[in-house]
């Protein structure tokens, strides 16, 4: 069944009982399609050094008030070993966008080391290091990474332009190019958007769902926009909608995407937590099937502040769900496409 765009918009407008019904329906579809299992990915925030200057992001290049760090290879390996020992099944290695040969080679060798940590059942490795050339994506893929996250942030080119500097380094077209390159190389491709941006309409969000379906993505991570100290977004674009609206809309987006693309992986975004202590748990209750417990060593975690967050790393209540211990938890949709 293909849900049309009008129906998507109608579902996104649901409130009260209709919204609760939407959530329950999405959770049931998740259970029937990808199963009632929650997959874990140990999140390792490698570095907050970034060449970009996204208006919303706390680690943007021009934010002088952040102390910059990069984990040592041994710190990364220790975190990955912990993930394997705890039987998380996978890790996500994430960091700012850097395109130097030195950085590319470092990530490549880290992937090789992580893959060789548990030879009998190697960890799954997801990368998230922004826009890179197809050749770089291919090197990292050959090293053993098999999933990549690159959010489109907003599928509306108008909105994308409004939340990024107009300096030639933040081009919507370039983001699309990178997403297509990832697909060609053979990754499971994850994208996503921020929800509750200043100037974002319900129609924009419905378009985001349609965009993800048209792109035939394998995974999605999307969450609310959260204010970030030292960033110019609000000053330039105006105030975002209220926090309760952003939270509810983020959950509705997850539910609607689950109905529109039943067989993909959808993450309960970390950005839900600063808006509500129950945020990530609620996401699982309305269709998400992936959570990313943060395994970054403390010296990094405090400096990797994309947005203002005082919440804790992981809600232990999440671990009461049925967990896919030791499994990669690959995208079912990707498996079907590549059979
Ligand atoms: N609020 C919510 N999400 C943010 N990100 C960056 N800054 C913020 C913010 N202030 C998200 C972007 C990026 C991902 C790594 O973090 O969507 O792709
Ligand atoms: Fe860098 Fe990503 Fe933050 Fe943009 S959102 S400044 S690319 S870390």
């Amino acid at each position: 069944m293909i849900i049309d765009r009008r129906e998507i918009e109608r579902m996104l407008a649901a409130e009260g009982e209709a919204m609760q019904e939407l959530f329950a329906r999405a959770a049931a579809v998740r259970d029937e399609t990808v199963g009632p299992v929650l997959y874990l990915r140990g999140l390792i925030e490698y570095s907050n050094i970034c060449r970009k200057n996204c208006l919303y992001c706390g680690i943007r290049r021009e934010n002088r008030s952040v102390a910059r760090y990069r984990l040592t290879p041994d710190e990364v390996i220790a975190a990955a070993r912990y993930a394997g020992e705890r039987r998380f099944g996978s890790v996500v290695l994430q960091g700012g966008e850097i395109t130097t040969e030195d950085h590319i080679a470092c990530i490549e060798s880290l992937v090789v080391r992580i893959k060789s940590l548990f030879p009998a059942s190697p960890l799954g490795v997801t990368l998230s290091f922004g826009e890179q050339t197809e050749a770089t994506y291919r090197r990292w893929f050959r090293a053993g990474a098999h999933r990549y996250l690159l959010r489109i942030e907003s599928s509306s080119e108008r909105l994308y332009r409004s939340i990024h500097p107009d300096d030639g380094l933040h081009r919507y077209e370039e983001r699309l190019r990178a997403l297509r390159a990832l697909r060609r190389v053979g990754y499971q491709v994850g994208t996503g958007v921020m929800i509750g941006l200043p100037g974002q309409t319900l129609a924009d969000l419905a378009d985001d769902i349609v965009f993800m379906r048209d792109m035939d993505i394998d995974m999605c991570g999307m969450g609310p926009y959260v204010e970030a100290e030292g960033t110019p977004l609000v000053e330039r674009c105006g105030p975002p909608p209220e926090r309760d609206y952003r939270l509810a809309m983020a959950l509705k987006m997850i539910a609607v995407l689950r109905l529109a693309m039943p067989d993909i992986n959808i993450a309960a975004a970390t950005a839900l937590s600063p808006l509500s202590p129950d945020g990530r748990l609620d996401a699982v209750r309305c269709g998400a099937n992936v959570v990313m417990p943060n395994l970054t060593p403390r010296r990094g975690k405090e400096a990797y502040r994309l947005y203002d967050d005082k919440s804790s790393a992981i809600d232990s209540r999440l671990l009461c769900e049925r967990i896919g211990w030791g499994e990669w938890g690959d995208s079912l949709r990707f498996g079907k496409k590549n059979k």
Side-chain angles (χ1 to χ4, degrees), residues 268-280:
T270 320
L272 288 160
S273 296
L275 294 191
S276 157
D278 294 339
R280 277 184 289 180

Side-chain angles (χ1 to χ4, degrees), residues 47-61 95-97 130 153 164 170 175 194 304 306:
S47 169
N48 65 357
I49 303 168
C50 188
R51 67 176 184 146
K52 283 212 169 140
N53 221 359
C54 306
L55 301 183
Y56 45 86
C57 178
I59 65 171
R60 65 200 298 271
R61 189 182 67 227
E97 185 176 296
E153 314 297 359
H164 293 100
H170 301 74
R175 183 62 55 110
M194 282 180 290
Y304 195 88
L306 299 172

Side-chain angles (χ1 to χ4, degrees), residues 56-58 94 128 150-151 153 175 192-194 223-228 271 304 306-308:
Y56 45 86
C57 178
Q94 181 170 76
S128 180
L150 181 65
R151 289 185 174 179
E153 314 297 359
R175 183 62 55 110
V193 297
M194 282 180 290
Y225 163 70
V226 180
E227 294 82 348
Y304 195 88
L306 299 172
Y307 41 77
D308 305 338

Side-chain angles (χ1 to χ4, degrees), residues 59-206:
I59 65 171
R60 65 200 298 271
R61 189 182 67 227
E62 279 175 15
N63 190 355
R64 298 273 138 66
S65 66
V66 218
R68 303 289 165 168
Y69 77 93
R70 187 171 77 172
L71 298 183
T72 65
D74 287 345
E75 284 174 316
V76 173
I77 297 305
R81 180 173 289 118
Y82 178 86
E85 284 165 354
R86 291 280 306 265
R87 306 203 59 242
F88 281 12
S90 294
V91 292
V92 177
L93 201 54
Q94 181 170 76
E97 185 176 296
I98 298 291
T99 55
T100 60
E101 167 55 30
D102 178 57
H103 174 74
I104 294 163
C106 279
I107 301 306
E108 185 180 28
S109 74
L110 282 170
V111 172
V112 170
R113 280 182 71 186
I114 293 171
K115 291 303 286 188
S116 62
L117 273 177
F118 300 92
S121 66
L123 286 163
V125 177
T126 305
L127 296 180
S128 180
F129 288 101
E131 293 163 15
Q132 303 286 342
T133 64
E134 185 164 337
T136 298
Y137 289 148
R138 185 159 284 119
R139 263 172 84 175
W140 291 344
F141 188 77
R142 291 209 176 111
H146 76 299
R147 297 187 285 236
Y148 201 101
L149 306 172
L150 181 65
R151 289 185 174 179
I152 186 73
E153 314 297 359
S154 169
S155 67
S156 150
E157 187 166 356
R158 165 194 61 83
L159 205 52
Y160 190 94
R161 284 167 180 266
S162 82
I163 62 174
H164 293 100
D166 181 17
D167 62 357
L169 192 62
H170 301 74
R171 290 176 45 234
Y172 181 79
E173 261 312 311
E174 193 52 31
R175 183 62 55 110
L176 288 180
R177 188 238 8 114
L179 283 167
R180 294 191 197 107
L182 287 164
R183 168 61 39 84
R184 275 196 300 276
V185 171
Y187 285 95
Q188 290 173 48
V189 178
T191 192
V193 297
M194 282 180 290
I195 298 150
L197 290 162
Q200 187 180 46
T201 64
L202 204 66
D204 290 325
L205 291 166

Side-chain angles (χ1 to χ4, degrees), residues 142-320:
R142 291 209 176 111
H146 76 299
R147 297 187 285 236
Y148 201 101
L149 306 172
L150 181 65
R151 289 185 174 179
I152 186 73
E153 314 297 359
S154 169
S155 67
S156 150
E157 187 166 356
R158 165 194 61 83
L159 205 52
Y160 190 94
R161 284 167 180 266
S162 82
I163 62 174
H164 293 100
D166 181 17
D167 62 357
L169 192 62
H170 301 74
R171 290 176 45 234
Y172 181 79
E173 261 312 311
E174 193 52 31
R175 183 62 55 110
L176 288 180
R177 188 238 8 114
L179 283 167
R180 294 191 197 107
L182 287 164
R183 168 61 39 84
R184 275 196 300 276
V185 171
Y187 285 95
Q188 290 173 48
V189 178
T191 192
V193 297
M194 282 180 290
I195 298 150
L197 290 162
Q200 187 180 46
T201 64
L202 204 66
D204 290 325
L205 291 166
D207 287 342
D208 289 339
I209 300 277
V210 172
F211 172 87
M212 291 188 269
R213 190 168 62 189
D214 289 348
M215 287 281 290
D216 195 17
I217 60 162
D218 307 298
M219 323 181 284
C220 176
M222 59 182 168
Y225 163 70
V226 180
E227 294 82 348
E229 214 183 298
T231 61
L233 185 77
V234 173
E235 198 179 294
R236 306 254 186 101
C237 302
E242 280 174 37
R243 300 184 86 154
D244 284 351
Y245 169 94
R246 279 179 265 160
L247 179 65
M249 195 53 79
L251 295 174
K252 285 190 273 185
M253 284 288 284
I254 288 173
V256 172
L257 185 64
R258 175 58 72 196
L259 297 177
M261 303 186 78
D263 53 2
I264 65 171
N265 279 347
I266 304 180
T270 320
L272 288 160
S273 296
L275 294 191
S276 157
D278 294 339
R280 277 184 289 180
L281 197 61
D282 288 342
V284 171
R285 291 181 179 148
C286 63
N289 69 327
V290 168
V291 274
M292 302 175 14
N294 195 329
L295 302 184
T296 312
R298 181 148 12 95
R299 86 176 174 92
K301 199 149 57 188
E302 281 161 9
Y304 195 88
R305 285 172 65 83
L306 299 172
Y307 41 77
D308 305 338
D309 184 8
K310 294 179 185 67
S311 69
S312 69
I314 185 76
D315 187 328
S316 58
R317 289 173 301 168
L318 280 166
L319 300 180
C320 301

